[in-house]
Amino acid sequence: MYHSWNLRRLLRYLALDTALVLAAVLLTHLGKHHFSAADSAGGVSLPVLMYHSVAPVPEQQYCVTPETLESDLRYLQAHGYETVSPEELVAYTNGNGTLPEKPVMLTFDDGLYNNLSLVLPLLETYDMCAVVSVVGIFTDKYAPDAPHNDVYSYLTWEDLKQMHDSGRITLGSHTYDMHENGTRQGCAKTDWETEEEYHETLYADLSLMQTRFQEELQIQPAVFAYPYGFVCSESKPVLADLGFQITLTCLEKPNFITRNPACLYGINRYNRPGNTSTAEIMQKVLSDEKTGGLASCADVITSAAGRWFAFSPLC
């Protein structure tokens, strides 16, 4: 009875796992076909890293030390990755130019002074570029009266000009005064607003930020970073009307850049937390980009085989 019951159960597991393996093979084949087809059409995989503060303090979820950042940059360079700018991405999606074989984008949110004092020198050392997305009220209200402190100060307009003039930093908008996670989640629509009311509110904030950029630096940013990653579909018409060509989220998923400019709306980014080694974070980000988020056939086969042999009385 013991062996007869085990045999029937084994056959059921074997049939199920065979189906899983066949499905995995099919999905892997289709995934490879999809990516190879997209590659032939000019598409490129793009990992994007999201940083915030880079300061000589104990590391946290949104703060790393300069040593950690340098370790990341050294790793990327040693593994053949080249940073790309938003301008290069926009040109590529519009059919102009090419991207490196292994592109990567670096982004820094909130507009902290250490992005100038500590990050820019490292970008120069490793010949890289980055995006810095600024909150307008932090620059207008908090930065002017604060000392230039690497730990807590924000960038002034003079600082932002220096970064822009370096040629290594593309400045982006992070809203003027909608960087909050309270009653309103970032710049998302609230339940009590009509869509028209929301459009008016968002337009007033973002257009003010664009005006301040124009007044102080004579530029109009084309990159917008959603505060806290609260993506809102109702925001898209306003963003398009104000000329934004790239939007940045906080969704930790791979990106695939094609010759279609629409692919730049909703760029996914991996937060770079502190207290995590360079090897660990890079393995996560770069392995996701290689697989496109698909589980490999080998993983499924290994899982199936594990269940089979763990059960089988032959083991």
Side-chain angles (χ1 to χ4, degrees):
M1 285 293 293
Y2 174 80
H3 287 290
S4 174
W5 180 84
N6 273 335
L7 180 59
R8 288 197 300 271
R9 189 177 176 193
L10 174 60
L11 291 174
R12 286 199 301 271
Y13 270 89
L14 183 58
L16 175 60
D17 288 340
T18 300
L20 287 173
V21 170
L22 290 175
V25 171
L26 177 60
L27 286 173
T28 303
H29 172 74
L30 292 175
K32 289 180 178 179
H33 175 72
H34 166 74
F35 283 110
S36 63
D39 280 336
S40 66
V44 177
S45 177
L46 176 71
V48 181
L49 286 160
M50 175 178 64
Y51 297 85
H52 292 77
S53 183
V54 179
V57 294
E59 294 194 331
Q60 302 173 10
Q61 184 178 5
Y62 299 111
C63 179
V64 299
T65 63
E67 292 76 18
T68 293
L69 175 61
E70 182 166 18
S71 175
D72 292 354
L73 302 186
R74 189 185 302 116
Y75 183 101
L76 290 169
Q77 187 179 77
H79 288 77
Y81 284 87
E82 299 179 51
T83 54
V84 293
S85 68
E87 293 82 0
E88 290 175 288
L89 291 180
V90 170
Y92 179 84
T93 60
N94 282 285
N96 301 315
T98 61
L99 293 177
E101 181 179 350
K102 298 171 73 173
V104 64
M105 177 175 277
L106 308 176
T107 68
F108 296 80
D109 283 6
D110 300 342
L112 290 150
Y113 172 68
N114 55 47
N115 293 178
L116 170 64
S117 61
L118 300 176
V119 173
L120 183 56
L122 288 174
L123 295 177
E124 292 170 340
T125 297
Y126 290 90
D127 192 22
M128 295 184 176
C129 63
V131 179
V132 173
S133 298
V134 182
V135 180
I137 198 168
F138 294 173
T139 293
D140 275 345
K141 183 176 181 180
Y142 304 127
D145 297 329
H148 271 162
N149 185 290
D150 289 339
V151 177
Y152 58 81
S153 294
Y154 289 99
L155 293 157
T156 65
W157 287 110
E158 290 76 15
D159 297 331
L160 291 169
K161 183 179 188 307
Q162 184 178 342
M163 298 183 84
H164 174 69
D165 290 347
S166 73
R168 295 190 179 277
I169 301 294
T170 298
L171 297 175
S173 172
H174 206 24
T175 73
Y176 185 82
D177 190 17
M178 298 183 80
H179 190 277
E180 62 171 296
N181 187 11
T183 304
R184 183 188 295 277
Q185 296 182 319
C187 64
K189 179 182 177 296
T190 61
D191 292 337
W192 58 84
E193 288 177 306
T194 66
E195 191 165 325
E196 183 179 358
E197 289 170 338
Y198 171 68
H199 286 168
E200 291 176 356
T201 299
L202 183 62
Y203 187 89
D205 181 275
L206 299 188
S207 62
L208 173 57
M209 187 57 174
Q210 294 296 78
T211 297
R212 295 296 291 127
F213 269 114
Q214 185 63 46
E215 290 173 343
E216 298 289 343
L217 304 177
Q218 294 74 56
I219 64 172
Q220 290 282 281
V223 180
F224 176 74
Y226 282 97
Y228 299 98
F230 289 121
V231 177
C232 176
S233 61
E234 292 88 351
S235 67
K236 291 182 179 180
V238 175
L239 293 168
D241 192 37
L242 288 169
F244 290 105
Q245 296 173 289
I246 299 176
T247 65
L248 306 176
T249 76
C250 298
L251 190 62
E252 296 191 335
K253 291 175 58 179
N255 299 291
F256 200 70
I257 308 302
T258 69
R259 293 291 188 177
N260 183 353
C263 74
L264 299 180
Y265 259 57
I267 292 292
N268 304 307
R269 299 185 292 170
Y270 291 83
N271 180 55
R272 201 315 177 193
N275 299 313
T276 305
S277 71
T278 291
E280 184 178 349
I281 187 66
M282 293 302 170
Q283 182 178 14
K284 170 181 172 57
V285 175
L286 303 180
S287 65
D288 276 2
E289 292 294 328
K290 289 177 182 177
T291 62
L294 293 173
S296 70
C297 176
D299 291 338
V300 178
I301 292 173
T302 300
S303 174
R307 291 195 304 274
W308 181 5
F309 288 115
F311 161 79
S312 174
L314 300 177
C315 295

